Amino acid sequence: EAQVTQNPRYLITVTGKKLTVTCSQNMNHEYMSWYRQDPGLGLRQIYYSMNVEVTDKGDVPEGYKVSRKEKRNFPLILESPSPNQTSLYFCASSLSRFSYEQYFGPGTRLTVT
Amino acid sequence: AQSVTQLGSHVSVSEGALVLLRCNYSSSVPPYLFWYVQYPNQGLQLLLKYTTGATLVKGINGFEAEFKKSETSFHLTKPSAHMSDAAEYFCAVSESNFGNEKLTFGTGTRLTIIP
């Protein structure tokens, strides 16, 4: 089954404790991205990747890191999480940057205390 | 810079009634326009998209939207609401000379269906 998977689905952590949210797709997609969803703000792009080893900042990159060493994986790293990073995070992928149908993962709900 | 405005963060309609969700955009170049749906506890799913050609586009689950350049609008409609349509709907815009990296989402409209 074609899908985007994220792990973990739920995470409660404390300020400053490094964490990684994994994202994997099995559709051989070139383009992958991370969004955060906050009430009243919709989805905002954190980082995106057009292909392996090609990543760039989205609209809200502060406090996040990403890497794209393999085509299928695009982990989101929070080196020192803070409470303002409490949010619902979505990973998405598409065939290419010009293929506008993005496939979204199920989401990761992160709480930072 | 492009932007999207969705009028009404919450919309309630009776089962069988017309669904109308409003979206207005601003873009300095011809836009590409999208509607995504998010069911509870799930990721977003593409409902329909407009890139070029026919301005009335049909999507999944009986939804359609019309691109009106003069009104800078891309409203989503469905003639008869079904209970399964209850979800959050997001309008999004991308400028035609960019790809997904420039996709801007609206703040969403939560649709409630009244039995």
Coordinates of all heavy atoms in Angstrom, one line a residue, chain A residues 3-68:
Chain A
Q3 N 2.0 4.7 0.9 CA 1.7 5.5 2.1 C 2.9 6.3 2.6 O 4.1 6.0 2.3 CB 1.2 4.6 3.3 CG 2.2 3.5 3.7 CD 1.6 2.6 4.8 OE1 0.6 2.9 5.4 NE2 2.3 1.5 5.0
V4 N 2.6 7.3 3.5 CA 3.6 8.0 4.2 C 3.4 7.7 5.7 O 2.3 7.8 6.2 CB 3.4 9.5 4.0 CG1 4.5 10.3 4.8 CG2 3.5 9.9 2.5
T5 N 4.5 7.2 6.3 CA 4.4 6.8 7.7 C 5.2 7.8 8.6 O 6.2 8.3 8.1 CB 4.8 5.4 8.0 OG1 6.2 5.3 7.5 CG2 4.0 4.4 7.2
Q6 N 4.7 8.1 9.8 CA 5.4 8.9 10.7 C 5.5 8.2 12.0 O 4.5 7.5 12.5 CB 4.6 10.2 10.9 CG 4.6 11.1 9.7 CD 3.8 12.4 10.0 OE1 2.9 12.8 9.3 NE2 4.1 13.1 11.1
N7 N 6.6 8.4 12.7 CA 6.7 7.9 14.1 C 7.5 8.8 15.0 O 8.5 9.4 14.5 CB 7.4 6.5 14.1 CG 6.4 5.4 13.6 OD1 5.5 5.1 14.3 ND2 6.7 4.9 12.4
P8 N 7.1 9.0 16.2 CA 5.9 8.4 16.8 C 4.6 9.2 16.4 O 4.7 10.2 15.8 CB 6.2 8.5 18.3 CG 7.0 9.8 18.4 CD 7.9 9.8 17.2
R9 N 3.5 8.7 16.7 CA 2.2 9.4 16.5 C 2.0 10.4 17.6 O 1.4 11.5 17.3 CB 1.1 8.4 16.4 CG 1.1 7.5 15.2 CD 0.9 8.2 13.9 NE -0.3 9.1 14.0 CZ -1.6 8.7 13.8 NH1 -1.8 7.4 13.6 NH2 -2.6 9.5 13.9
Y10 N 2.4 10.1 18.8 CA 2.2 11.0 19.9 C 3.5 11.0 20.7 O 4.1 10.0 20.9 CB 1.0 10.5 20.8 CG -0.3 10.3 20.1 CD1 -0.6 9.1 19.5 CD2 -1.2 11.4 20.1 CE1 -1.9 9.0 18.9 CE2 -2.4 11.3 19.4 CZ -2.7 10.1 18.8 OH -3.9 10.0 18.1
L11 N 3.8 12.2 21.2 CA 5.1 12.3 22.0 C 4.9 13.5 23.0 O 4.5 14.6 22.6 CB 6.2 12.6 21.1 CG 7.6 12.8 21.7 CD1 8.0 11.5 22.5 CD2 8.7 13.1 20.7
I12 N 5.2 13.2 24.2 CA 5.2 14.2 25.3 C 6.7 14.2 25.8 O 7.2 13.2 26.1 CB 4.3 13.9 26.4 CG1 2.8 13.8 25.9 CG2 4.4 15.0 27.5 CD1 1.8 13.4 27.0
T13 N 7.3 15.4 25.7 CA 8.7 15.5 26.1 C 8.9 16.8 27.0 O 8.0 17.5 27.2 CB 9.6 15.5 24.9 OG1 11.0 15.4 25.3 CG2 9.5 16.8 24.1
V14 N 10.1 17.0 27.4 CA 10.4 18.1 28.2 C 11.3 19.1 27.5 O 12.0 18.7 26.5 CB 11.1 17.7 29.6 CG1 10.1 16.9 30.4 CG2 12.4 17.0 29.3
T15 N 11.3 20.3 27.9 CA 12.1 21.3 27.2 C 13.6 20.9 27.2 O 14.2 20.5 28.2 CB 12.0 22.7 28.0 OG1 10.6 23.1 27.9 CG2 12.9 23.7 27.3
G16 N 14.2 21.0 26.0 CA 15.6 20.8 25.8 C 16.0 19.4 25.5 O 17.2 19.2 25.2
K17 N 15.1 18.4 25.5 CA 15.5 17.1 25.3 C 15.4 16.8 23.8 O 14.2 16.7 23.3 CB 14.6 16.1 26.1 CG 15.0 14.7 26.0 CD 14.2 13.8 26.9 CE 14.7 12.3 26.8 NZ 13.8 11.4 27.6
K18 N 16.5 16.5 23.1 CA 16.5 16.3 21.7 C 15.6 15.2 21.3 O 15.5 14.1 21.9 CB 17.9 16.0 21.2 CG 18.1 15.8 19.7 CD 19.5 15.5 19.4 CE 19.7 15.2 17.9 NZ 21.1 15.0 17.5
L19 N 14.9 15.4 20.2 CA 14.0 14.3 19.6 C 14.0 14.3 18.1 O 14.3 15.3 17.5 CB 12.6 14.5 20.2 CG 11.8 15.8 19.7 CD1 11.0 15.5 18.5 CD2 10.9 16.2 20.8
T20 N 13.6 13.2 17.6 CA 13.5 13.0 16.1 C 12.2 12.4 15.8 O 11.8 11.4 16.4 CB 14.7 12.1 15.6 OG1 15.9 12.7 15.9 CG2 14.5 11.9 14.1
V21 N 11.5 13.0 14.8 CA 10.3 12.4 14.3 C 10.6 11.9 12.9 O 11.1 12.6 12.1 CB 9.2 13.5 14.2 CG1 7.9 12.8 13.7 CG2 8.9 14.2 15.5
T22 N 10.4 10.6 12.7 CA 10.7 10.0 11.5 C 9.6 10.1 10.5 O 8.4 10.1 10.8 CB 11.1 8.5 11.6 OG1 10.0 7.8 12.1 CG2 12.3 8.4 12.6
C23 N 10.0 10.1 9.2 CA 9.0 10.1 8.1 C 9.5 9.2 7.0 O 10.7 9.4 6.6 CB 8.8 11.5 7.6 SG 7.8 11.6 6.1
S24 N 8.7 8.4 6.5 CA 9.1 7.5 5.4 C 8.0 7.3 4.4 O 6.8 7.2 4.8 CB 9.5 6.1 6.0 OG 10.0 5.2 5.0
Q25 N 8.4 7.3 3.1 CA 7.4 7.1 2.1 C 7.9 5.9 1.2 O 9.1 5.8 0.9 CB 7.1 8.3 1.3 CG 8.3 9.1 0.8 CD 8.8 8.7 -0.6 OE1 8.2 7.9 -1.3 NE2 9.9 9.3 -1.0
N26 N 6.9 5.2 0.7 CA 7.2 4.0 -0.2 C 6.8 4.2 -1.6 O 6.6 3.2 -2.3 CB 6.6 2.7 0.4 CG 5.1 2.8 0.5 OD1 4.5 3.8 0.0 ND2 4.5 1.7 1.0
M27 N 6.7 5.4 -2.1 CA 6.2 5.7 -3.4 C 7.3 6.2 -4.3 O 7.0 6.7 -5.4 CB 5.1 6.7 -3.3 CG 3.9 6.2 -2.5 SD 2.7 7.5 -2.1 CE 3.4 8.2 -0.7
N28 N 8.6 6.2 -3.9 CA 9.7 6.7 -4.7 C 9.5 8.2 -5.1 O 10.0 8.6 -6.2 CB 9.9 5.8 -6.0 CG 11.3 6.0 -6.5 OD1 12.3 6.1 -5.8 ND2 11.4 5.9 -7.8
H29 N 9.0 8.9 -4.2 CA 8.7 10.3 -4.4 C 10.0 11.1 -4.2 O 10.8 10.9 -3.3 CB 7.7 10.9 -3.5 CG 6.3 10.5 -3.9 ND1 5.2 10.8 -3.1 CD2 5.8 9.9 -5.0 CE1 4.1 10.3 -3.7 NE2 4.4 9.8 -4.9
E30 N 10.2 12.1 -5.1 CA 11.4 13.0 -5.0 C 11.2 14.1 -3.9 O 12.1 14.4 -3.2 CB 11.6 13.7 -6.4 CG 12.2 12.8 -7.4 CD 12.6 13.5 -8.7 OE1 12.2 14.7 -8.8 OE2 13.2 12.9 -9.5
Y31 N 10.0 14.6 -3.9 CA 9.7 15.8 -3.0 C 9.1 15.4 -1.7 O 8.2 14.6 -1.6 CB 8.7 16.8 -3.7 CG 8.4 18.0 -3.0 CD1 9.2 19.2 -3.2 CD2 7.4 18.1 -2.1 CE1 8.9 20.3 -2.5 CE2 7.1 19.2 -1.4 CZ 7.9 20.4 -1.6 OH 7.6 21.5 -0.9
M32 N 9.7 15.9 -0.6 CA 9.1 15.7 0.7 C 9.1 17.0 1.5 O 10.0 17.8 1.3 CB 9.9 14.6 1.5 CG 9.8 13.2 0.8 SD 10.7 11.9 1.7 CE 9.5 11.6 3.0
S33 N 8.2 17.1 2.5 CA 8.1 18.3 3.2 C 7.6 18.0 4.6 O 7.0 17.0 4.9 CB 7.3 19.4 2.5 OG 6.0 18.9 2.4
W34 N 7.8 19.0 5.5 CA 7.3 18.9 6.9 C 6.5 20.2 7.1 O 6.9 21.3 6.7 CB 8.4 18.9 7.9 CG 8.9 17.5 8.2 CD1 10.1 17.0 7.7 CD2 8.3 16.5 9.0 NE1 10.2 15.7 8.2 CE2 9.1 15.4 9.0 CE3 7.1 16.5 9.7 CZ2 8.8 14.2 9.7 CZ3 6.8 15.3 10.4 CH2 7.6 14.2 10.4
Y35 N 5.3 20.0 7.7 CA 4.4 21.1 8.1 C 4.1 21.0 9.6 O 4.1 19.9 10.1 CB 3.1 21.0 7.3 CG 3.2 21.2 5.8 CD1 3.4 20.1 5.0 CD2 3.0 22.4 5.3 CE1 3.4 20.2 3.6 CE2 3.1 22.6 3.9 CZ 3.3 21.5 3.1 OH 3.3 21.7 1.7
R36 N 3.8 22.1 10.2 CA 3.1 22.1 11.5 C 1.8 22.7 11.4 O 1.5 23.7 10.6 CB 4.0 22.8 12.5 CG 4.3 24.3 12.3 CD 5.1 24.9 13.4 NE 4.3 25.0 14.7 CZ 4.8 25.4 15.8 NH1 6.1 25.6 16.0 NH2 4.0 25.5 16.9
Q37 N 0.8 22.2 12.1 CA -0.6 22.7 12.1 C -0.9 23.2 13.5 O -0.9 22.4 14.4 CB -1.5 21.6 11.7 CG -3.0 22.0 11.6 CD -3.9 20.9 11.2 OE1 -3.6 19.7 11.2 NE2 -5.1 21.3 10.7
D38 N -1.3 24.4 13.5 CA -1.7 25.1 14.8 C -3.1 25.7 14.6 O -3.4 26.2 13.5 CB -0.7 26.1 15.2 CG 0.7 25.5 15.4 OD1 0.9 24.8 16.3 OD2 1.6 25.8 14.5
P39 N -3.9 25.6 15.6 CA -5.3 26.2 15.5 C -5.3 27.6 15.1 O -4.5 28.4 15.6 CB -5.8 26.0 17.0 CG -5.0 24.9 17.6 CD -3.7 25.0 17.0
G40 N -6.1 27.9 14.1 CA -6.2 29.3 13.6 C -5.1 29.7 12.7 O -5.2 30.8 12.1
L41 N -4.1 28.9 12.5 CA -3.0 29.2 11.6 C -2.9 28.3 10.4 O -2.0 28.6 9.5 CB -1.7 29.2 12.4 CG -1.5 30.2 13.6 CD1 -0.2 30.0 14.3 CD2 -1.6 31.6 13.1
G42 N -3.6 27.3 10.3 CA -3.5 26.4 9.2 C -2.2 25.6 9.2 O -1.6 25.3 10.3
L43 N -1.8 25.2 8.1 CA -0.5 24.5 7.9 C 0.6 25.4 7.5 O 0.4 26.2 6.5 CB -0.6 23.4 6.9 CG -1.2 22.1 7.4 CD1 -2.7 22.1 7.4 CD2 -0.8 20.9 6.5
R44 N 1.7 25.3 8.1 CA 2.9 26.1 7.7 C 4.0 25.2 7.5 O 4.3 24.3 8.2 CB 3.2 27.2 8.8 CG 2.1 28.2 9.1 CD 2.5 29.1 10.2 NE 2.4 28.4 11.5 CZ 2.9 28.9 12.6 NH1 3.5 30.1 12.6 NH2 2.8 28.2 13.7
Q45 N 4.7 25.5 6.4 CA 5.8 24.6 6.0 C 7.1 24.9 6.8 O 7.5 26.1 6.9 CB 6.1 24.8 4.5 CG 7.1 23.8 4.0 CD 7.2 23.8 2.5 OE1 6.9 22.7 1.8 NE2 7.5 24.9 1.9
I46 N 7.7 23.8 7.3 CA 8.9 24.0 8.1 C 10.2 23.8 7.2 O 11.0 24.7 7.2 CB 8.9 22.9 9.2 CG1 7.7 23.0 10.1 CG2 10.2 23.1 10.1 CD1 7.5 21.8 11.0
Y47 N 10.3 22.7 6.6 CA 11.4 22.4 5.7 C 10.8 21.6 4.5 O 9.8 20.9 4.6 CB 12.5 21.6 6.3 CG 13.6 22.5 7.0 CD1 13.5 22.8 8.3 CD2 14.7 22.9 6.3 CE1 14.5 23.6 8.9 CE2 15.7 23.6 6.8 CZ 15.6 24.0 8.2 OH 16.6 24.7 8.8
Y48 N 11.6 21.6 3.4 CA 11.2 20.8 2.3 C 12.5 20.2 1.6 O 13.6 20.8 1.9 CB 10.3 21.5 1.3 CG 10.9 22.7 0.6 CD1 11.7 22.6 -0.6 CD2 10.8 24.0 1.2 CE1 12.2 23.7 -1.2 CE2 11.4 25.1 0.6 CZ 12.1 24.9 -0.6 OH 12.6 26.0 -1.2
S49 N 12.3 19.2 0.8 CA 13.4 18.6 0.1 C 13.0 18.2 -1.3 O 12.0 17.5 -1.4 CB 13.9 17.3 0.9 OG 14.8 16.6 0.1
M50 N 13.7 18.7 -2.2 CA 13.4 18.4 -3.6 C 14.0 17.0 -4.1 O 13.5 16.5 -5.1 CB 13.8 19.5 -4.5 CG 13.1 20.8 -4.3 SD 13.3 22.0 -5.6 CE 12.8 23.5 -4.8
N51 N 15.0 16.6 -3.4 CA 15.6 15.3 -3.7 C 16.6 14.9 -2.6 O 16.9 15.7 -1.7 CB 16.2 15.3 -5.1 CG 16.1 14.0 -5.8 OD1 16.1 12.9 -5.2 ND2 15.8 14.0 -7.1
V52 N 17.3 13.8 -2.8 CA 18.3 13.4 -1.8 C 19.4 14.5 -1.7 O 19.8 15.0 -2.7 CB 18.9 12.1 -2.3 CG1 20.0 11.7 -1.3 CG2 17.8 11.0 -2.3
E53 N 19.7 14.8 -0.5 CA 20.7 15.8 -0.2 C 20.4 17.2 -0.6 O 21.3 18.1 -0.5 CB 22.1 15.4 -0.8 CG 22.6 14.0 -0.4 CD 23.1 13.9 1.0 OE1 23.0 15.0 1.8 OE2 23.6 12.9 1.5
V54 N 19.1 17.5 -0.9 CA 18.7 18.8 -1.3 C 17.5 19.2 -0.4 O 16.4 18.7 -0.5 CB 18.2 18.9 -2.8 CG1 17.8 20.3 -3.1 CG2 19.3 18.4 -3.7
T55 N 17.8 20.1 0.6 CA 16.8 20.6 1.5 C 16.8 22.1 1.6 O 17.9 22.7 1.3 CB 17.0 20.0 2.9 OG1 18.3 20.5 3.4 CG2 17.1 18.5 2.9
D56 N 15.7 22.7 2.0 CA 15.6 24.1 2.1 C 14.6 24.5 3.1 O 13.7 23.7 3.4 CB 15.3 24.8 0.7 CG 15.9 26.2 0.6 OD1 16.3 26.7 1.7 OD2 15.9 26.7 -0.5
K57 N 14.7 25.7 3.6 CA 13.8 26.2 4.6 C 12.5 26.6 4.1 O 12.4 27.1 3.0 CB 14.4 27.5 5.3 CG 15.8 27.2 6.0 CD 16.3 28.5 6.6 CE 17.7 28.2 7.3 NZ 18.3 29.4 7.8
G58 N 11.5 26.3 4.9 CA 10.1 26.8 4.6 C 9.8 28.1 5.3 O 10.7 28.9 5.4
D59 N 8.6 28.2 5.7 CA 8.2 29.5 6.3 C 8.6 29.6 7.8 O 8.7 30.7 8.3 CB 6.7 29.7 6.2 CG 6.3 29.8 4.7 OD1 7.0 30.4 3.9 OD2 5.3 29.2 4.3
V60 N 8.7 28.5 8.5 CA 8.9 28.5 9.9 C 10.0 27.5 10.3 O 9.8 26.6 11.1 CB 7.6 28.2 10.7 CG1 6.7 29.4 10.7 CG2 6.9 26.9 10.2
P61 N 11.3 27.7 9.9 CA 12.3 26.7 10.1 C 13.0 26.8 11.5 O 13.7 25.8 11.8 CB 13.3 27.0 9.0 CG 13.2 28.5 8.8 CD 11.7 28.8 9.0
E62 N 12.8 27.9 12.2 CA 13.6 28.1 13.4 C 13.4 27.0 14.4 O 12.2 26.7 14.8 CB 13.3 29.5 14.0 CG 13.7 30.7 13.2 CD 12.7 30.9 12.0 OE1 11.5 30.4 12.1 OE2 13.1 31.6 11.1
G63 N 14.4 26.4 14.9 CA 14.4 25.4 16.0 C 14.3 24.0 15.4 O 14.2 23.0 16.2
Y64 N 14.3 23.8 14.1 CA 14.2 22.5 13.5 C 15.4 22.2 12.6 O 16.0 23.2 12.1 CB 12.9 22.4 12.6 CG 11.6 22.7 13.4 CD1 11.1 24.0 13.3 CD2 11.0 21.8 14.1 CE1 9.9 24.3 14.0 CE2 9.8 22.1 14.7 CZ 9.3 23.3 14.7 OH 8.1 23.6 15.4
K65 N 15.7 21.0 12.4 CA 16.6 20.5 11.4 C 16.1 19.3 10.7 O 15.2 18.6 11.2 CB 18.0 20.1 12.1 CG 18.8 21.2 12.6 CD 20.0 20.7 13.3 CE 20.9 19.7 12.5 NZ 22.1 19.2 13.2
V66 N 16.6 19.1 9.4 CA 16.2 18.0 8.6 C 17.4 17.4 7.9 O 18.4 18.1 7.9 CB 15.1 18.3 7.6 CG1 13.8 18.7 8.2 CG2 15.6 19.4 6.6
S67 N 17.2 16.2 7.4 CA 18.2 15.6 6.6 C 17.5 14.7 5.5 O 16.4 14.2 5.8 CB 19.3 14.8 7.4 OG 18.7 13.7 7.9
R68 N 18.2 14.5 4.4 CA 17.6 13.7 3.4 C 18.7 12.8 2.8 O 19.3 13.2 1.7 CB 16.9 14.5 2.3 CG 16.2 13.6 1.3 CD 14.7 13.5 1.6 NE 14.0 12.6 0.6 CZ 13.4 13.1 -0.5 NH1 13.5 14.4 -0.8 NH2 12.7 12.3 -1.2

